[in-house]
Amino acid sequence: MSQIKKYELDRWRYYPGNHHHSVIAVLTGLPIEEIIAASPKNNCWGGQTFVKTFNKLGFNTNHRFVKFDSESYYPCLMRTKRTDIKEPYWYCFPYYDGWIYYEGCAYGFDYFFAMFSNLRVTSMLQVWI
């Protein structure tokens, strides 16, 4: 019987004040300098910005963010929306195998959303080589 490949995320690749690059580093394991070089120069990131940056770095993704599936085989960038404010405000976090990676730590899914009860999962961007 063949074994299913498990991915390893590098939670230690967190860079304070550099969230967009950090989430990519956690998912890919690449150095921050390489990620910055492949990223847009501004700090206004939309869904396609993540897709294009991952693709420039040699990783495949969905063509767009899709409905979140906690049983996803691939690691993903999980997108969440704040529920405590009227205007839309989004956050992305690396997610894989029931774990959410945030600021150098890995939290179980339920525990994370107990800590951040003002967030609601909206979608995901799967990432693979």
Side-chain angles (χ1 to χ4, degrees):
M1 181 175 209
S2 66
Q3 290 184 339
I4 296 174
K5 179 182 177 175
K6 290 294 236 177
Y7 292 87
E8 289 185 35
L9 275 60
D10 189 354
R11 70 179 182 166
W12 302 111
R13 291 194 181 265
Y14 168 70
Y15 302 94
N18 208 335
H19 181 74
H20 297 118
H21 299 114
S22 289
V23 297
I24 293 173
V26 169
L27 282 167
T28 65
L30 295 174
I32 189 95
E33 298 80 15
E34 192 172 335
I35 296 166
I36 290 171
S39 302
K41 300 302 176 209
N42 64 34
N43 200 26
C44 183
W45 287 58
Q48 284 303 302
T49 308
F50 283 104
V51 170
K52 290 175 184 176
T53 303
F54 279 117
N55 292 164
K56 281 184 187 176
L57 292 167
F59 291 82
N60 294 317
T61 66
N62 309 72
H63 295 294
R64 60 182 179 79
F65 278 78
V66 298
K67 182 180 177 188
F68 181 73
D69 175 10
S70 63
E71 300 298 319
S72 170
Y73 172 74
Y74 297 108
C76 69
L77 191 56
M78 177 183 70
R79 186 162 41 183
T80 63
K81 180 182 185 244
R82 282 186 60 177
T83 60
D84 59 338
I85 56 176
K86 288 187 180 195
E87 59 277 350
Y89 202 91
W90 307 92
Y91 298 96
C92 289
F93 303 98
Y95 171 85
Y96 180 61
D97 201 25
W99 295 94
I100 298 170
Y101 297 81
Y102 176 64
E103 296 187 348
C105 297
Y107 298 97
F109 190 87
D110 292 334
Y111 184 80
F112 182 84
F113 285 102
M115 289 187 336
F116 297 101
S117 60
N118 65 330
L119 295 178
R120 179 178 57 86
V121 177
T122 62
S123 55
M124 69 178 186
L125 182 71
Q126 292 174 307
V127 179
W128 66 93
I129 294 180

